[in-house]
Amino acid sequence: EIRAGKLVQMHGKLGNVEAARAVYDGVVDPDVILGNIMITAYAQNGCLVEAAELYHRMMAKDVVSGTALLAGYAQAGDIEQAKLVFDSLPQRNVVTWNIATVAYARNGYLDEATASFDRMPCRTMVSWNAMLHAFSEAQKLGDAKSVFDLMPERCQVSWSTMIEAYAREGHLVEAREAFARMPEFDIVASTAMLDGLGQNGCLAEAKAMFDQMEDRDIVPWNNLLAALAANGEIEDTRKLFEKVPCRNVVTCTAMCQALGESGRLEEAKQVFDGMMDRNILSMNAMLSGYAQNGEAEQAVKMFAQLRGRN
RNA sequence: AGCUGCGUACAGGCACA
């Protein structure tokens, strides 16, 4: 039964709801946890009707069942339904409250998010981090700082969120200071710092930060690439692009965009054609490349393709 | 009772903005 759970979960994560359901249906007497995994699989893929139906049909439910359903509506941005579900739940725990708080914040209801946070019976580190991030996103630096200072304890997520909040408002002094005060190294915090430096024109410092990083994943590469491109250093951008160990859509889209903006349409096209998986954003980059270089016809074609995807 | 663990739900960095 544990293996069935893993399977259902895996199919759900890959977006294959039918396969998940098939495995679930093959289990004779599914227990609560398996049912919860199935609800999650539905919820994460936007199958909210099915998720709700399963929830209501399940004989044995626990607090996770309802919370998983709530998470589905929250993720879909359906605040109304999410609120209805939240109010109807027989039990709520701190995760339930966290999801409600984040759901409000993500959909622009910052006051409701704050109210939810304030009304929570108890808070975990996740609750505090979520609130911190909510203020950061809403560009309420002062509130973010208050949350950060009031938190009973801070983890790496807290620090990187705070650094990002500073950097996004251009408060590099504070960002650097927070970064220096962090107890241990963290890849995400370093990357946030690097990006902040790059976005605010401190190219040399961003480079230095990049060189200092020991375990870089793709994101710092992409950030440095963006910083170079924003500085108009198209040659260096191109050189760096060649060196990126395993490029992803973001890398290629940024490169394509930069090449288009600098009038190198042929190269932009090459990068675009070499991309493994294109999405709306990469197509949009190519489209604006055509548009900016007077290729109206190609631009229109790309636009048609882009619409075909929706 | 206490401690420890678990197959399930929640928070941080990149391209368009």
Side-chain angles (χ1 to χ4, degrees):
Chain A
E1 191 146 80
I2 291 179
R3 293 209 326 178
K6 277 289 177 206
L7 251 182
V8 174
Q9 186 179 34
M10 197 194 78
H11 283 127
K13 290 224 159 97
L14 296 175
N16 200 342
V17 186
E18 285 84 11
R21 182 67 201 217
V23 175
Y24 175 81
D25 284 336
V27 174
V28 184
D29 216 4
D31 65 5
V32 204
I33 297 189
L34 190 56
N36 293 345
I37 296 174
M38 192 62 230
I39 292 182
T40 302
Y42 277 136
Q44 287 174 347
N45 290 285
C47 308
L48 300 173
V49 177
E50 290 86 349
E53 189 193 292
L54 177 57
Y55 173 79
H56 287 111
R57 270 217 339 265
M58 274 167 62
M59 295 306 297
K61 320 181 225 270
D62 60 12
V63 62
V64 177
S65 323
T67 304
L69 181 62
L70 172 68
Y73 289 110
Q75 199 201 309
D78 191 343
I79 290 291
E80 321 268 303
Q81 272 302 318
K83 189 166 172 15
L84 285 177
V85 170
F86 181 88
D87 291 336
S88 75
L89 291 180
Q91 312 123 32
R92 305 168 189 102
N93 64 13
V94 62
V95 177
T96 322
W97 281 93
N98 288 342
I99 291 171
T101 307
V102 169
Y104 279 130
R106 287 231 167 105
N107 291 281
Y109 301 95
L110 193 57
D111 291 342
E112 284 82 354
T114 310
S116 171
F117 179 81
D118 289 339
R119 282 176 41 217
M120 289 177 67
C122 73
R123 300 178 188 97
T124 59
M125 175 87 79
V126 173
S127 326
W128 288 94
N129 287 338
M131 208 56 234
L132 175 57
H133 187 242
F135 283 128
S136 167
E137 283 275 288
Q139 317 219 356
K140 307 244 178 204
L141 189 52
D143 292 310
K145 176 89 166 72
S146 312
V147 170
F148 186 78
D149 290 338
L150 278 171
M151 295 175 72
E153 56 192 349
R154 289 155 204 95
C155 68
Q156 299 195 319
V157 174
S158 330
W159 285 97
S160 37
T161 307
M162 195 63 236
I163 290 166
E164 198 216 342
Y166 281 132
R168 111 160 68 226
E169 311 264 325
H171 295 226
L172 287 186
V173 177
E174 288 89 344
R176 282 191 203 97
E177 193 202 356
F179 184 72
R181 275 177 46 211
M182 258 188 97
E184 331 134 35
F185 173 86
D186 181 61
I187 175 81
V188 176
S190 311
T191 308
M193 191 67 233
L194 160 57
D195 192 41
L197 293 166
Q199 301 255 4
N200 290 282
C202 307
L203 191 51
E205 213 180 331
K207 274 183 192 156
M209 186 87 237
F210 180 85
D211 291 334
Q212 267 182 347
M213 297 175 61
E214 21 209 84
D215 296 313
R216 324 175 175 107
D217 58 20
I218 184 68
V219 182
W221 286 95
N222 292 343
N223 285 329
L224 187 58
L225 193 88
L228 289 169
N231 242 266
E233 318 255 2
I234 189 68
E235 285 308 322
D236 287 351
T237 310
R238 200 155 48 172
K239 271 185 213 144
L240 186 73
F241 180 74
E242 294 303 327
K243 282 198 272 183
V244 179
C246 77
R247 304 168 193 156
N248 64 9
V249 210
V250 179
T251 326
C252 298
T253 304
M255 190 69 244
C256 179
Q257 180 85 30
L259 287 167
E261 278 169 5
S262 67
R264 300 167 203 236
L265 190 56
E266 273 313 309
E267 288 175 64
K269 212 152 50 175
Q270 269 176 31
V271 171
F272 182 76
D273 290 339
M275 287 179 67
M276 307 302 294
D277 38 11
R278 301 174 192 139
N279 60 20
I280 310 232
L281 292 182
S282 43
M283 293 172 77
N284 191 49
M286 192 65 248
L287 165 63
S288 71
Y290 283 131
Q292 284 174 43
N293 290 277
E295 297 274 352
E297 206 170 300
Q298 294 296 323
V300 169
K301 258 191 194 165
M302 187 59 66
F303 184 67
Q305 278 185 45
L306 218 154
R307 289 184 54 183
R309 281 226 166 182
N310 268 344

